[in-house]
Amino acid sequence: FSPGLLVVAGSFAAFRLLNQGLERLVPPPPSARRNRWKWRNIWTSLAHSALPDTHSLSPCRFYLHPELSNDLVSKHPPGAHSLVAVSVGYFLEDFVDMLCNQKLHQSWELLFHHSVVIICFGIAVLLHQYVGFALVALLVEINSIFLHLRQILLMANLVHTTCYRLNSLINLGTYVVFRIATLAWMSRWLFLNRHNVPPAAYAVGTVGMAIMTPMNIILLYRLLRSDFFK
């Protein structure tokens, strides 16, 4: 039994309670009242992406301790294990929320994405290994802030505003830096360190990268087509 499982369970319960109370905290505008669960879901996702530790732990720790980038298997900064466990709890909550409230043909991509993340992060939490690798992966949440803000602005019918346009530009920039570049760096690290990673873990990581990279490239194309190439 891993104490990290308690953190996962607590995180799941906390995000579930937040999801249920968000409609009172952030009432949906008239344009979003037909899809109240999605309004709550996006705000819950934004809360996870905006967790201060997600951003303070990842870039700063790797800057202050550059040796961490050489060993993403056994080394990780203090608090990183708990942060990854909190993220597992969030992805589990979001998985359940979509499964209960959205049709499968509308959510299968995200459900598939969450399944991969839960498996990879779950291994890190249970084994206390590869936490550094999971911490690098959490850098994508910096971009997720602007992805979720984009959805909120769309649901609030604020597409033709300066705020939406500015968010689109920031979203594109952070997407390239914190998603595409991060995934490329992770794939490179995994390839260069393939002899130091057990075959089973290497297989999971390789499959994860093989799934995540095309999904994010497709999403980038959709964002460019929607926000810039109309």
Side-chain angles (χ1 to χ4, degrees):
F1 177 76
S2 170
L5 294 178
L6 292 176
V7 180
V8 171
S11 172
F12 178 91
F15 279 109
R16 198 67 187 156
L17 288 172
L18 177 64
N19 184 287
Q20 297 303 315
L22 267 170
E23 194 163 339
R24 294 180 181 178
L25 295 172
V26 191
S31 56
R33 286 173 187 166
R34 290 184 298 176
N35 208 348
R36 292 175 180 272
W37 88 264
K38 187 175 181 181
W39 180 258
R40 296 194 307 269
N41 178 274
I42 296 171
W43 276 99
T44 305
S45 299
L46 179 62
H48 169 256
S49 298
L51 278 175
D53 283 348
T54 301
H55 314 126
S56 62
L57 268 174
S58 296
C60 294
R61 291 294 185 181
F62 282 100
Y63 176 77
L64 295 173
H65 305 282
E67 70 277 3
L68 290 174
S69 62
N70 296 322
D71 185 3
L72 299 180
V73 178
S74 58
K75 292 183 180 179
H76 55 267
H81 182 266
S82 296
L83 176 60
V84 175
V86 167
S87 293
V88 173
Y90 157 72
F91 283 111
L92 281 170
E93 189 280 330
D94 200 43
F95 187 97
V96 172
D97 193 38
M98 287 189 292
L99 204 60
C100 294
N101 294 287
Q102 197 171 29
K103 294 179 180 179
L104 187 60
H105 71 88
Q106 295 176 315
S107 61
W108 72 268
E109 287 182 81
L110 275 177
L111 291 173
F112 187 51
H113 168 275
H114 284 16
S115 299
V116 174
V117 174
I118 290 167
I119 291 171
C120 294
F121 281 22
I123 291 173
V125 170
L126 289 172
L127 301 181
H128 283 258
Q129 298 283 308
Y130 315 103
V131 176
F133 197 74
L135 196 63
V136 175
L138 280 174
L139 284 171
V140 303
E141 292 302 318
I142 295 176
N143 167 252
S144 293
I145 294 174
F146 305 101
L147 271 177
H148 298 320
L149 282 175
R150 177 182 180 274
Q151 287 184 293
I152 289 169
L153 292 170
L154 281 170
M155 291 193 71
N157 200 22
L158 296 173
V159 179
H160 304 292
T161 62
T162 302
C163 184
Y164 182 88
R165 188 62 178 171
L166 178 61
N167 183 76
S168 294
L169 293 171
I170 299 174
N171 182 35
L172 178 61
T174 55
Y175 197 102
V176 173
V177 173
F178 293 108
R179 281 187 183 267
I180 302 300
T182 296
L183 288 172
W185 187 91
M186 291 172 67
S187 299
R188 176 180 176 274
W189 185 93
L190 196 61
F191 176 76
L192 293 177
N193 292 271
R194 61 191 182 280
H195 301 299
N196 302 321
V197 179
Y202 181 76
V204 171
T206 302
V207 171
M209 290 296 100
I211 292 171
M212 291 297 184
T213 301
M215 288 183 71
N216 279 276
I217 292 174
I218 291 169
L219 180 56
L220 176 61
Y221 167 73
R222 290 174 180 172
L223 286 171
L224 289 171
R225 186 180 62 180
S226 175
D227 288 357
F228 296 96
F229 295 155
K230 277 188 177 180

